[in-house]
C-alpha cells in the first residue's frame, strides 16, 4: 500500500444533530519502522509488510482512500499501545491463570496494515488500552468528536472520567466481566456484539480466584505466560457465555442473557455493574465514554447480592 495514502472514515456519532455534517478522521499511512520512536526492542521487527491482500477497510471498517493532504487529522505515524495475545482473549482465564495481554507500542499505520492484510504481526492485535487512551495517545482526533455525551453528562451530573479508543481484529474478544462505570459506547465503524447480564444475575455467574500472569511476546514471535510476582489472586469469571460448561456451572442455566448488536453511528448505554461479553466485526472502530458510578443504593444492593451469593456457596 502506498505510504502517501490517507485512510479516513466518517463518524456519525449520536451526539450529532440531524443535518449536521459528519465528522471525519484520517489515518496517514507511513512505512512502519521508518518513523516514530520506540523503546529498545519494543515492537521492532514484528510488524512485517507483505504484498497483496487486504481491503477490509473498503467494507467492514468503512475506510476509504483520499489523496495525501486531504482533510482530517493525520495520525498514522503516531504510536499507540496495542494489546497482543495468541488467541484474541486479553484479561481472561486461561487454565489456572488470569492472563493479561502483552503490550506493544506500534504506529497506528502498522496496526491498520495488519488489519487490512498488508502486513503481518504475531498474535491478535487490539487497541484497547483504557485510562482515556484517546486524549493521551491520539489527541489529534479530539477535534473530530465531542468531549462528552451531553445528555448523559446532564443526566449523570458529571463529566466522563475517561474517553477510550478501540480498534481491533474480529478475533479480539472481551471476556465476561463488569465495570464500576456508566458506559456510553459509540461504534464509529463496523459492529460490536454484546452479550449482557443484569446485576441481578450475579447468583448464577461463577467467580473463581486465579494467579495473575501476563503474556510475553518474544523476538521470535512466540508467546509465553509469565506469573506476576507478589500479587494477590484475581477474582474472575471462568465461564465462556458463548459455550458455557453447564456440567461445571449448572447455575448459569438460570441466567437470562441479552444480546445486542451496536452498529456504526449507534450508541449503547451500558449501566454500571452490568456483566458484558463483547465481540466485534473485523476492523471495528469505537469510542466509549466512562462516567464514574454513584456508590448509592444500587451499589449497596449489588454488594448485598454478591455477599449472599458467596455465603450460599453458589460460586
Amino acid at each position: 500500500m502506498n505510504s502517501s495514502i490517507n485512510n479516513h472514515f466518517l463518524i456519525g456519532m449520536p451526539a450529532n444533530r440531524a443535518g449536521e455534517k459528519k465528522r471525519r478522521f484520517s489515518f496517514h499511512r507511513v512505512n512502519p519502522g521508518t518513523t516514530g520512536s520506540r523503546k529498545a526492542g519494543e515492537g521492532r521487527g514484528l510488524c512485517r509488510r507483505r504484498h497483496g491482500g487486504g481491503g477490509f477497510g473498503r467494507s467492514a471498517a468503512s475506510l476509504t482512500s483520499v489523496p495525501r493532504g486531504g482533510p482530517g487529522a493525520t495520525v498514522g505515524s503516531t504510536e499507540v499501545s496495542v494489546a497482543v495475545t495468541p488467541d484474541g482473549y486479553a484479561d481472561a482465564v486461561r487454565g489456572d491463570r488470569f492472563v493479561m495481554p502483552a503490550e506493544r507500542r506500534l504506529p497506528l499505520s502498522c496496526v491498520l496494515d495488519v488489519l487490512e492484510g498488508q502486513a503481518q504481526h504475531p498474535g491478535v492485535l487490539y487497541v484497547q488500552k483504557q485510562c482515556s487512551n484517546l486524549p493521551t495517545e491520539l489527541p489529534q482526533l479530539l477535534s473530530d468528536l465531542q468531549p462528552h455525551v451531553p445528555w448523559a453528562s446532564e443526566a449523570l451530573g458529571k463529566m466522563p472520567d475517561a474517553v477510550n479508543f478501540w480498534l481491533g481484529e474480529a478475533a479480539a474478544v472481551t471476556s465476561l466481566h463488569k465495570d464500576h462505570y456508566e458506559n456510553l459506547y459509540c461504534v464509529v465503524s463496523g459492529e460490536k456484539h454484546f452479550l449482557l447480564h443484569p446485576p441481578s444475575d450475579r447468583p448464577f455467574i461463577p467467580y473463581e480466584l486465579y494467579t495473575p500472569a501476563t503474556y510475553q511476546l518474544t523476538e521470535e514471535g512466540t508467546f509465553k505466560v509469565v506469573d506476576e510476582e507478589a500479587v494477590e489472586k484475581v477474582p474472575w469469571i471462568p465461564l465462556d457465555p458463548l459455550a458455557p460448561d453447564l456440567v461445571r456451572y449448572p447455575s448459569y442455566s438460570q441466567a437470562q442473557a441479552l444480546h445486542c448488536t451496536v452498529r456504526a453511528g449507534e450508541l449503547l448505554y451500558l449501566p454500571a455493574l452490568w456483566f458484558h461479553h463483547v465481540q466485534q466485526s473485523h476492523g471495528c472502530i469505537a469510542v466509549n465514554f466512562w462516567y464514574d458510578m454513584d456508590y448509592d443504593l444500587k451499589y449497596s444492593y449489588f454488594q448485598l447480592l454478591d455477599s449472599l451469593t458467596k455465603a450460599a456457596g453458589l460460586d
Side-chain angles (χ1 to χ4, degrees):
M1 182 174 292
N2 193 317
S3 64
S4 66
I5 295 297
N6 285 346
N7 285 319
H8 75 281
F9 55 86
L10 297 178
I11 173 171
M13 304 295 280
N16 289 348
R17 295 182 177 87
E20 285 187 344
K21 185 177 180 181
K22 293 181 179 180
R23 299 287 188 175
R24 177 161 53 190
F25 295 162
S26 297
F27 295 150
H28 177 209
R29 290 201 170 282
V30 296
N31 185 345
T34 62
T35 61
S37 60
R38 290 186 182 87
K39 295 179 182 178
E42 197 169 48
R44 188 181 301 277
L46 291 175
C47 188
R48 304 183 187 280
R49 298 272 295 178
R50 63 184 251 186
H51 299 290
F56 92 87
R58 296 175 178 83
S59 54
S62 302
L63 292 173
T64 57
S65 297
V66 295
R68 185 171 185 172
T74 58
V75 296
S77 61
T78 302
E79 289 195 345
V80 294
S81 300
V82 183
V84 188
T85 58
D87 58 2
Y89 282 79
D91 299 331
V93 172
R94 285 292 174 261
D96 59 352
R97 297 291 188 268
F98 171 75
V99 188
M100 295 167 280
E103 186 174 289
R104 288 302 209 200
R105 297 284 297 174
L106 296 173
L108 188 56
S109 59
C110 173
V111 179
L112 290 171
D113 281 343
V114 171
L115 293 178
E116 290 188 327
Q118 300 296 323
Q120 295 177 315
H121 191 285
V124 177
L125 305 186
Y126 197 12
V127 180
Q128 60 133 39
K129 186 171 184 178
Q130 294 142 57
C131 303
S132 232
N133 70 333
L134 181 58
T136 58
E137 296 196 343
L138 292 168
Q140 304 95 321
L141 302 184
L142 289 176
S143 62
D144 284 325
L145 74 161
Q146 296 191 25
H148 66 118
V149 181
W151 61 262
S153 300
E154 180 179 358
L156 296 170
K158 64 189 74 174
M159 295 294 285
D161 273 11
V163 183
N164 304 310
F165 178 86
W166 308 78
L167 168 66
E169 305 182 48
V173 177
T174 301
S175 65
L176 188 63
H177 72 289
K178 69 181 187 315
D179 295 311
H180 291 73
Y181 286 102
E182 309 291 347
N183 192 348
L184 279 295
Y185 206 101
C186 313
V187 174
V188 175
S189 178
E191 297 179 349
K192 289 276 185 174
H193 307 288
F194 288 82
L195 182 151
L196 307 170
H197 284 286
S200 56
D201 273 354
R202 169 64 184 95
F204 316 124
I205 296 175
Y207 273 86
E208 294 180 7
L209 293 174
Y210 295 91
T211 299
T214 303
Y215 285 118
Q216 284 191 4
L217 182 57
T218 69
E219 290 296 327
E220 292 74 31
T222 60
F223 290 87
K224 60 180 180 179
V225 175
V226 179
D227 288 346
E228 297 287 306
E229 295 183 3
V231 178
E232 293 183 358
K233 288 192 173 184
V234 175
W236 204 259
I237 300 169
L239 177 138
D240 179 358
L242 302 181
D245 183 348
L246 296 180
V247 174
R248 186 173 180 181
Y249 307 110
S251 295
Y252 185 71
S253 63
Q254 301 179 60
Q256 298 294 318
L258 304 174
H259 297 267
C260 175
T261 295
V262 185
R263 298 180 174 87
E266 297 180 340
L267 178 150
L268 171 68
Y269 167 51
L270 180 60
L273 303 178
W274 275 62
F275 299 94
H276 50 288
H277 173 280
V278 191
Q279 297 173 288
Q280 63 189 351
S281 61
H282 192 68
C284 180
I285 302 167
V287 173
N288 82 308
F289 299 82
W290 266 347
Y291 293 79
D292 195 17
M293 70 172 290
D294 288 328
Y295 291 84
D296 52 11
L297 184 61
K298 176 176 64 175
Y299 177 74
S300 298
Y301 164 76
F302 182 83
Q303 289 298 99
L304 173 63
L305 188 61
D306 184 62
S307 297
L308 292 173
T309 298
K310 294 174 181 175
L314 296 178
D315 272 346

